[in-house]
Amino acid sequence: MQAVVSDNISRAIDRFHIFRTLDDKTKQRLKEAGRFRAFAPGQVLVREGDTSGDLYLIDSGKVEIKMHTEDKDVVLAELGQGELLGEVPAITGVKRTSTATALEMVNAVIFPAELIREIAKSDADFKQAVLKIIETRAVDTMSKTVS
């Protein structure tokens, strides 16, 4: 069973574009540190305001991202296979800015925030790729939450 989980983590890392520029040693560290976890439909992966900064890579399934504004919840996005979740706290260390809920069965690889921050400090291409995701999502979030 452990070999299957390890293979799933390896496959997910090799398939996702922001990890492709990493050297083999760094990829191996990610593979060793990553945890594979399943989430049932309706299960919360992360909650707005949480202090955990782990980075999630969605291997399969769909996740709804919501943010609470002054008077309502706003759906920001629906994420699926090959997309990251939790990139802001993973890189910056801030609290979670939204809640992520599984819309269907979700399999995800979870990477410790400390390792992600360490890689971002030592690999400019990786950091730039993550910052581009953050920038794109921030613009999209502002368009949905600012009246």
Side-chain angles (χ1 to χ4, degrees), residues 34-49:
R35 301 181 325 270
F36 199 76
R37 182 160 172 210
F39 297 89
Q43 188 173 1
V44 172
L45 285 73
V46 298
R47 191 171 306 282
E48 186 174 351

Side-chain angles (χ1 to χ4, degrees), residues 7 9 14 21 40 48 50 57 60 68 83 92 97 99-100 115 120-122 125 127 140 143 146:
D7 288 345
I9 293 171
D14 291 339
T21 63
E48 186 174 351
D50 283 353
L57 172 59
S60 65
H68 185 73
E83 293 189 276
T92 66
T97 57
T99 297
L115 178 57
K121 285 180 184 175
S122 64
D125 290 336
K127 182 177 183 177
D140 189 48
S143 73
V146 178

Side-chain angles (χ1 to χ4, degrees), residues 43-144:
Q43 188 173 1
V44 172
L45 285 73
V46 298
R47 191 171 306 282
E48 186 174 351
D50 283 353
T51 57
S52 75
D54 294 340
L55 182 71
Y56 290 63
L57 172 59
I58 301 169
D59 188 51
S60 65
K62 293 193 184 306
V63 177
E64 180 180 68
I65 309 300
K66 280 186 180 178
M67 174 185 269
H68 185 73
T69 62
E70 293 176 7
D71 57 349
K72 62 182 175 178
D73 286 336
V74 177
V75 176
L76 301 176
E78 187 176 293
L79 304 178
Q81 182 180 38
E83 293 189 276
L84 291 178
L85 166 65
E87 65 282 350
V88 172
I91 294 293
T92 66
V94 301
K95 291 181 181 180
R96 299 268 178 203
T97 57
S98 57
T99 297
T101 306
L103 293 174
E104 58 190 41
M105 193 66 194
V106 170
N107 290 306
V109 182
I110 306 168
F111 302 103
E114 298 79 23
L115 178 57
I116 297 302
R117 284 187 204 114
E118 184 182 316
I119 294 169
K121 285 180 184 175
S122 64
D123 188 298
D125 290 336
F126 175 79
K127 182 177 183 177
Q128 192 60 36
V130 175
L131 289 175
K132 181 67 177 164
I133 293 169
I134 291 171
E135 177 185 12
T136 301
R137 290 188 179 164
V139 169
D140 189 48
T141 297
M142 287 175 38
S143 73
K144 292 177 180 174

